[in-house]
Amino acid sequence: MRAPANLIRNRPWALLGLAALSVAGTHAADLPHVRAGDGAEQLLVHGQPFLIRGGELGNSSAGTAAQADAILPAMARLHLNTVLMPVAWEQVEPKEGAFEFGILDHWIDIARQQQLHLVLLWFGTWKNAFSEYAPDWVKADMKRFPRAQSAHGVPLEILSTFGTETLRADSRAFRSLMAHVREKDRERQTVLMVQVENEMGYLGPGRDRSPEADREFDGPVPRELMAGLAARRTELSPELAAHFNPRGGVWREVFGEAANEVFMAWRYALFVNSVAEAGKKEYPLPMYVNAQLPSSMERPGEYPSGGPHPYYLAVYRAMAPAIDFYAPDIYWPEFEYWVKRYQVHGNPIFIPEAKMDSAPWNALYAYGAARAIGFCPFGIDSLRPPAGPGDSEPAIMQVYAALSNLEDMLPVAQNAGRTRGLVLHANSPRASQSVALDGYVFEASLSRAWSTGSLLAHDGGMLLIESRPDEFFVVGSGLTVKMSRDPDTDAQMSGIASIEEVSRAGAEWVVSARLNGDQSNQGRQLTMDPRNIRTYRVRLYSGPQ
Ligand code: DGJ
């Protein structure tokens, strides 16, 4: 489409708008996209902030059309608004060049019926380091699609990042997928984002030892990488900064002991960037890459080395401009630590995989403390909504129900920095934690029986939202929360005006109980239900002493 000459003459900036016109008449700004904001990035869908209340399906749960009929209605009943589902390369291109999207189309149709969105997980060249999801015709032809090699020269079940034919074939398949999604879904936008590959990285000691890799590793570090890291000097992780020697020449001189892992990160970043770029040419949805994180004692190669691990994120950010953000899969107990490692400038927090048993409380932390755009327990289809009255609701279902009641308020509060979150477990290193908001300190500890002092819950968490001055919505369970004026703000005295347990009916909040007396320890604290996620509205007062 060409801009009329007089429009360009009179309003040269109009060119910018025209440049943003892409995808067969769809304005890029009308597609789901991530709006920048320092620590408050937001996913916009049809122009409105959208919080993903998600869950990722098991690896073998989306391989047939019929599975959608059974799974998606259950997901909607769990109050998810988005399901993360694998799309396997072997499934969509069983014969080279012949693409089949019938199964995906059915999932999109059923998701629409259930008012659900989808995030597609492109299981292409790599899934958890390995190449199981590549089609047979790729796996069988090791000459055309070379494998990474071990230190002993053994070809692994991992396609090499140096396979130019592999990159070409994966990019073509991904591009066909995105073209298909554009045609089917551009108007409705059921599909929100795409994850490119899955937990990539090299498994085994050292690095890929194929002849191409050795040749490259013996040469100088490419200029683009050196320049990219130098330009990002202030955002290098301490671990990378400690190794980076900008005056060095070959890999070992520049990156010391980290050379193998940075080398692999560079290769994976280049590869995944090209695949994403090919897809975005057809349909530029937000695209992200997920990372398998190491446990505390693991060495690179025991976890996939060269994935977008937080130590080497700057390598990806320098080499992969087509990737919108990086997302940690968090199965380890140090949930808050790993989230914080991804809170780097411009990177929205999105947790595509989280461990199910601590998910309800970690979700509250993610949305409240890290202003996450989404959170997704892994294996969500293993949960079932209650079969009938009296059957208990899974805790993550309760969290998502509470968040769906707050879906107008929460993104606005996140954007304004008016949310907080915390999580506590019986084995947490600290017995209490506090957060400050709007001149008040909220100090939380796990609830205990007043008579015996024993814990009433082993896990607790809360999401705190300031709805207006002196008024807060608190979603959570298991905690006792004391609230007082923040001495850093002023020396006023303060107290609880009211605590109400609330739920939502349309636009109105309905009060189901007003908590006082024994339930508020005589007006001194919020005592949450130890087992069930509830929403409380708390009003505080303060004044001169
Ligand atoms: C992380 C992977 O990304 C998932 O696909 C799955 O394999 C889980 N690990 C573990 O079940």
Side-chain angles (χ1 to χ4, degrees), residues 371-384:
R371 302 195 251 178
I373 62 169
F375 179 90
C376 316
F378 180 78
I380 190 73
D381 50 307
S382 64
L383 291 188
R384 287 274 157 262

Side-chain angles (χ1 to χ4, degrees), residues 411-440:
V412 180
Q414 277 184 326
N415 199 35
R418 289 188 284 106
T419 63
R420 300 287 183 272
L422 62 77
V423 52
L424 276 171
H425 305 288
N427 60 359
S428 291
R430 292 165 54 97
S432 71
Q433 272 195 47
S434 58
V435 289
L437 181 56
D438 188 33
Y440 293 99

Side-chain angles (χ1 to χ4, degrees), residues 59 127-128 198-199 329 331 353 378:
N59 295 160
K127 193 276 177 191
N128 294 36
N198 188 80
E199 293 193 351
D329 295 343
Y331 290 87
E353 296 182 37
F378 180 78

